[in-house]
C-alpha cells in the first residue's frame, strides 16, 4: 500500500490504518471471513492532497450473494435474541467506536475530506446512536385497542423484517450507516451494507470494529459488508427479493432507480435523497446569529451535505446590508487541509465534484445570475509546504432570483444563491418552490413569523428550524424530507418502525363468536 501523504508522515498514516485493522491488500467484502472478491481493484485517493491512501478490491454480484446468504443464515438466531439483549450487544459496538473515535475520525477526514472536527463528530454520532438504541431496545412498543366485540382483546405488535440492504453516500461515510444499521439491528434485522465506492476504507474499518463484538457473541453475519459498484452490487441488492427493505441515501436520480426496482417487486424503500435547503432571514433577525449559521450551513463539509444551505432569502429592506455581511464572512472563511485545526472548509470529494461546481456556476451566469464571490481554485500550504493535488475551491456566492432554473437544482458543492423576497408569504413560496423538501430554517425575532413558518401553510420540508441552521440535526428526532427527498425517516423518534413489520392481533376469550359490525351469520 502506497501511503504517501502530505497530511501525515508515511509511517503515521500506516500506523493509523493498521490500528483500524486495514491491510496493504484490502478486501472490500466481508461475510463469514475475509474473502477474495471477484470485482476490480480501485485506488483510494485522499481529496486533501491527492495522495494514495490504499487500494481496495471491490466485490461483484457473487460476493454480494455470499453476504446475503450469510445474513439469511444468521437472521433466525438474531431475531430470537431478546431485544434488550440485542441492545446490550450494540452497546458493546458503541464502546468499540469510543475507543477508535480519534483514529476513525481522522480516517474520515483523510478519505472524505471533512475537517477533523466533523470527522470525529461523525463517529460521535455513531456512538450516540448506539446509546440511543440501548434505550430503544426496551421501547419497541405496540398499541392496545378496545374491541367492539365483548370478550375480545386487540393489540398490535412489531416483528423483525429480515435482512435489509443499506446503501450510503460518501459525505457521511459511517454515520448514516449507524442511523440505519444499529436501529435495524436492535429491531432484530440483519444488515448488508453497500457504502460509496469513494469512501471504502472507513466502511472496512467500521466493519472490523463490529466484527470483533459480534464474533464474541457467535453472531458474525448480523452485519455484512459488500463494497462494490452501484452497477453491479447495488443493482443486485435492490433487485434481491430476499431483502424486504432497502434504505438508500444519495442523489434523487439514484433514489428514483431504487424506488423503481424495489417497487416493482413490492419491496419497501427508505429514501434519503437530495436537498435544496433555504434559510429565510427576516428584517428583525439577529445578524450575528444568522450569518454564523449561514456560514456553517452553506460552507460546512464544502457544501457536500444533503442539508447544506443552498439558498438564502433576504427581505428586500435588509438585502443590501446582509449581502455585505455575507461577503465579509466568506472572505474570512479558513480553507485548508482537513486535519489542520484552523480549517473550517476542506476539499471537495474529487475532480468530478469540482467539475459539477464549475458547471453550476457557468449555468448560473448563463441564466442571469451574478457570481459575486468565489468559485476559483485555492492554492494552499500545509505545515510550511505547498499542498498539491487537493480538491479545493473557494465557496461561491451568487446573486440570483427564484426564476433561474439552476436555483431549483441541487448542485452538490459550496454555492449559495442569494435571493430577495417581499414579505413572509413570498419567502415561504420561494422556499417551497423547489422539487426537494429536506430541511429549512428561518431567522427571526417575531413569534408570529416563526409560528407561520412552522404552520401547515409554512415550510413543506421534513425539517423546519427557527433560529438554527438547516444542518446539524440531532439523532433524537426523525431525520428526512418530503417530495424529491424521498419521504424516508431515519434515526430518532419512531423511525424504528420502518425496520419492522406491524401485526394486528385479536384474541377472543369470550366463548362466543360475535362478528364485527354486528353481522349475523348463524347456521
Amino acid at each position: 500500500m502506497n501511503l504517501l501523504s502530505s497530511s501525515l508522515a508515511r509511517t503515521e498514516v500506516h500506523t493509523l490504518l493498521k490500528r483500524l485493522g486495514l491491510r496493504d491488500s484490502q478486501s472490500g467484502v466481508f461475510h463469514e471471513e475475509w474473502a477474495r472478491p471477484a470485482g476490480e481493484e480501485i485506488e483510494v485517493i485522499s481529496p486533501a492532497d491527492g495522495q494514495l491512501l490504499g487500494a481496495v478490491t471491490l466485490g461483484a454480484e457473487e460476493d454480494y450473494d455470499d453476504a446475503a446468504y450469510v445474513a439469511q443464515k444468521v437472521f433466525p438466531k438474531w431475531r430470537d435474541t431478546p431485544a434488550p439483549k440485542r441492545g446490550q450487544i450494540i452497546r458493546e459496538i458503541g464502546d468499540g467506536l469510543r475507543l477508535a473515535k480519534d483514529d476513525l475520525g481522522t480516517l474520515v477526514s483523510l478519505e472524505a475530506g471533512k475537517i477533523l472536527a466533523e470527522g470525529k463528530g461523525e463517529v460521535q454520532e455513531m456512538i450516540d446512536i448506539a446509546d440511543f438504541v440501548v434505550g430503544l431496545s426496551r421501547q419497541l412498543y405496540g398499541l392496545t385497542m378496545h374491541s367492539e366485540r365483548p370478550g375480545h382483546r386487540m393489540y398490535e405488535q412489531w416483528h423483525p423484517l429480515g435482512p435489509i440492504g443499506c446503501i450510503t453516500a460518501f459525505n457521511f461515510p459511517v454515520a448514516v450507516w449507524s442511523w440505519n444499521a444499529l436501529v435495524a439491528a436492535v429491531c432484530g434485522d440483519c444488515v448488508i451494507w453497500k457504502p460509496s465506492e469513494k469512501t471504502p476504507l472507513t466502511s472496512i474499518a467500521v466493519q472490523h470494529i463490529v466484527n470483533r463484538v459480534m464474533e464474541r457473541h457467535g453472531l458474525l453475519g448480523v452485519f455484512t459488508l459488500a463494497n462494490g459498484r452501484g452497477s453491479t452490487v447495488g443493482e443486485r441488492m435492490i433487485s434481491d427479493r430476499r431483502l424486504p427493505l432497502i434504505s438508500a441515501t444519495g442523489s434523487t436520480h439514484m433514489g428514483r432507480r431504487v424506488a423503481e426496482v424495489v417497487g416493482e417487486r413490492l419491496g419497501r424503500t427508505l429514501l434519503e435523497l437530495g436537498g435544496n435547503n433555504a434559510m429565510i432571514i427576516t428584517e428583525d433577525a439577529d445578524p450575528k446569529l444568522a450569518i454564523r449559521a449561514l456560514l456553517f450551513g452553506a460552507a460546512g463539509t464544502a457544501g457536500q451535505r444533503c442539508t447544506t444551505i443552498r439558498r438564502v432569502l433576504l427581505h428586500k429592506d435588509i438585502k443590501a446590508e446582509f449581502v455585505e455581511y455575507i461577503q465579509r464572512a466568506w472572505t474570512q472563511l479558513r480553507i485548508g487541509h482537513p486535519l489542520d485545526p484552523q480549517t473550517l472548509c476542506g476539499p471537495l470529494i474529487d475532480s468530478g465534484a469540482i467539475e459539477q461546481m464549475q458547471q453550476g456556476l457557468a449555468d448560473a451566469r448563463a441564466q442571469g445570475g451574478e457570481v459575486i464571490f468565489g468559485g476559483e481554485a485555492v492554492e494552499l500550504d500545509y505545515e510550511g509546504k505547498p499542498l498539491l493535488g487537493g480538491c479545493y475551491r473557494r465557496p461561491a456566492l451568487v446573486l440570483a432570483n427564484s426564476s433561474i432554473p439552476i436555483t431549483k437544482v441541487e448542485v452538490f458543492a459550496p454555492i449559495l444563491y442569494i435571493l430577495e423576497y417581499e414579505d413572509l408569504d413570498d419567502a415561504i413560496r420561494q422556499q417551497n418552490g423547489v422539487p426537494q423538501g429536506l430541511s429549512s430554517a428561518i431567522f427571526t425575532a417575531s413569534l408570529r413569523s416563526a409560528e407561520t413558518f412552522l404552520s401547515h401553510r409554512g415550510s413543506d420540508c421534513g425539517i423546519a428550524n427557527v433560529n438554527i441552521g438547516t444542518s446539524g440535526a440531532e439523532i433524537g428526532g426523525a431525520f428526512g424530507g418530503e417530495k424529491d427527498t424521498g419521504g424516508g425517516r431515519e434515526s430518532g423518534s419512531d423511525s424504528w418502525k420502518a425496520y419492522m413489520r406491524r401485526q394486528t392481533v385479536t384474541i377472543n376469550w369470550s366463548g362466543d363468536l360475535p362478528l364485527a359490525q354486528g353481522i349475523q351469520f348463524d347456521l
Side-chain angles (χ1 to χ4, degrees):
M1 181 183 292
N2 181 0
L3 297 174
L4 295 176
S5 175
S6 61
S7 55
L8 291 175
R10 176 184 176 123
T11 54
E12 290 179 291
V13 176
H14 182 77
T15 301
L16 168 71
L17 298 180
K18 187 176 180 181
R19 285 198 300 265
L20 290 168
L22 301 175
R23 296 180 277 177
D24 289 356
S25 178
Q26 189 65 66
S27 165
V29 175
F30 182 83
H31 30 91
E32 286 186 295
E33 60 186 18
W34 286 104
R36 293 185 178 275
E40 66 185 295
E41 183 177 272
I42 62 168
E43 294 183 336
V44 183
I45 305 297
S46 173
D49 51 30
Q51 300 300 315
L52 181 67
L53 289 175
V56 173
T57 304
L58 299 178
E61 289 186 25
E62 53 265 42
D63 300 300
Y64 163 78
D65 282 328
D66 287 345
Y69 170 77
V70 171
Q72 272 196 310
K73 188 171 69 171
V74 77
F75 171 63
K77 183 177 180 180
W78 183 242
R79 175 191 59 197
D80 292 344
T81 302
K85 175 62 175 175
R86 296 194 295 256
Q88 289 303 312
I89 293 172
I90 292 171
R91 183 197 293 274
E92 294 179 31
I93 293 175
D95 291 340
L97 292 168
R98 280 184 177 87
L99 293 175
K101 178 180 175 179
D102 287 348
D103 285 344
L104 188 54
T106 301
L107 180 58
V108 169
S109 291
L110 288 173
E111 188 175 37
K114 303 176 82 163
I115 64 172
L116 189 57
E118 289 190 78
K120 292 183 178 181
E122 185 167 342
V123 181
Q124 186 62 49
E125 281 195 47
M126 302 173 75
I127 296 166
D128 292 344
I129 281 284
D131 288 344
F132 174 81
V133 159
V134 175
L136 182 62
S137 69
R138 297 178 184 271
Q139 299 179 73
L140 302 175
Y141 298 138
L143 299 174
T144 59
M145 291 78 74
H146 290 280
S147 174
E148 66 185 48
R149 293 170 285 190
H152 285 60
R153 179 163 67 92
M154 291 179 62
Y155 67 94
E156 68 179 24
Q157 58 185 356
W158 295 83
H159 297 301
L161 278 177
I164 70 166
C166 180
I167 300 171
T168 60
F170 76 85
N171 59 331
F172 280 86
V174 291
V176 171
W177 169 83
S178 72
W179 296 357
N180 287 274
L182 299 187
V183 176
V186 85
C187 292
D189 301 329
C190 297
V191 183
I192 306 168
W193 182 15
K194 195 209 91 63
S196 169
E197 305 97 291
K198 297 181 180 182
T199 50
L201 293 177
T202 47
S203 66
I204 297 168
V206 168
Q207 189 70 43
H208 274 298
I209 294 167
V210 170
N211 286 344
R212 287 194 288 270
V213 174
M214 303 313 288
E215 188 172 21
R216 287 199 298 268
H217 294 278
L219 287 163
L220 279 175
V222 171
F223 302 96
T224 53
L225 176 66
N227 265 297
R229 296 287 185 190
S231 57
T232 53
V233 169
E235 287 291 324
R236 181 71 186 97
M237 174 183 281
I238 64 178
S239 63
D240 189 351
R241 290 182 176 272
R242 293 172 293 183
L243 305 188
L245 171 69
I246 299 293
S247 175
T249 300
S251 69
T252 298
H253 174 76
M254 179 273 289
R256 291 189 195 280
R257 174 61 182 170
V258 172
E260 175 186 6
V261 175
V262 178
E264 192 277 332
R265 62 178 175 87
L266 298 182
R268 301 187 192 182
T269 56
L270 193 166
L271 301 176
E272 296 291 351
L273 310 176
N276 189 355
N277 315 292
M279 175 193 286
I280 297 170
I281 302 179
T282 66
E283 312 96 298
D284 53 11
D286 181 335
K288 291 183 179 179
L289 198 67
I291 294 299
R292 183 181 177 192
L294 185 62
L295 185 64
F296 173 72
T301 324
Q304 297 171 120
R305 287 176 178 245
C306 54
T307 54
T308 291
I309 300 172
R310 309 212 180 273
R311 299 170 294 142
V312 59
L313 293 154
L314 303 173
H315 189 273
K316 61 180 182 179
D317 292 343
I318 63 168
K319 179 183 176 183
E321 180 182 16
F322 262 83
V323 168
E324 290 184 11
Y325 291 151
I326 293 168
Q327 286 183 288
R328 192 178 310 138
W330 257 242
T331 60
Q332 297 171 7
L333 182 64
R334 294 189 296 274
I335 302 168
H337 194 284
L339 296 187
D340 186 336
Q342 300 302 312
T343 297
L344 294 178
C345 181
L348 280 77
I349 187 64
D350 56 22
S351 59
I354 293 175
E355 292 173 7
Q356 185 182 43
M357 179 177 181
Q358 298 310 306
Q359 185 60 55
L361 292 174
D363 290 345
R365 291 187 183 98
Q367 295 167 15
E370 180 187 356
V371 180
I372 61 172
F373 184 83
E376 69 274 13
V378 181
E379 294 185 5
L380 300 169
D381 62 72
Y382 182 67
E383 295 182 342
K385 299 178 181 178
L387 186 58
L388 305 175
C391 298
Y392 298 90
R393 287 296 183 274
R394 197 171 302 281
L397 300 172
V398 180
L399 292 177
N401 62 72
S402 294
S403 66
I404 292 178
I406 192 66
T407 64
K408 308 290 194 297
V409 178
E410 182 191 39
V411 178
F412 215 58
I415 301 174
L416 177 65
Y417 301 106
I418 301 173
L419 312 173
E420 178 183 309
Y421 70 90
E422 293 280 337
D423 54 31
L424 186 58
D425 287 341
D426 179 35
I428 292 172
R429 279 194 299 272
Q430 290 190 55
Q431 180 202 271
N432 295 346
V434 296
Q436 308 84 1
L438 178 53
S439 190
S440 57
I442 188 171
F443 275 74
T444 182
S446 166
L447 177 63
R448 179 171 295 174
S449 295
E451 291 293 340
T452 300
F453 177 76
L454 298 174
S455 73
H456 62 275
R457 61 188 181 92
S459 170
D460 66 358
C461 296
I463 299 170
N465 296 328
V466 176
N467 294 330
I468 304 172
T470 59
S471 296
E474 296 186 33
I475 64 165
F479 179 89
E482 303 300 322
K483 303 189 297 188
D484 279 6
T485 302
R489 293 297 186 275
E490 297 170 331
S491 187
S493 185
D494 65 349
S495 298
W496 59 270
K497 294 179 178 178
Y499 308 98
M500 304 194 82
R501 59 181 177 89
R502 185 197 309 251
Q503 187 175 72
T504 301
V505 178
T506 305
I507 299 172
N508 177 8
W509 53 272
S510 70
D512 296 320
L513 191 65
L515 302 178
Q517 290 84 45
I519 294 173
Q520 298 297 317
F521 198 79
D522 296 328
L523 296 176

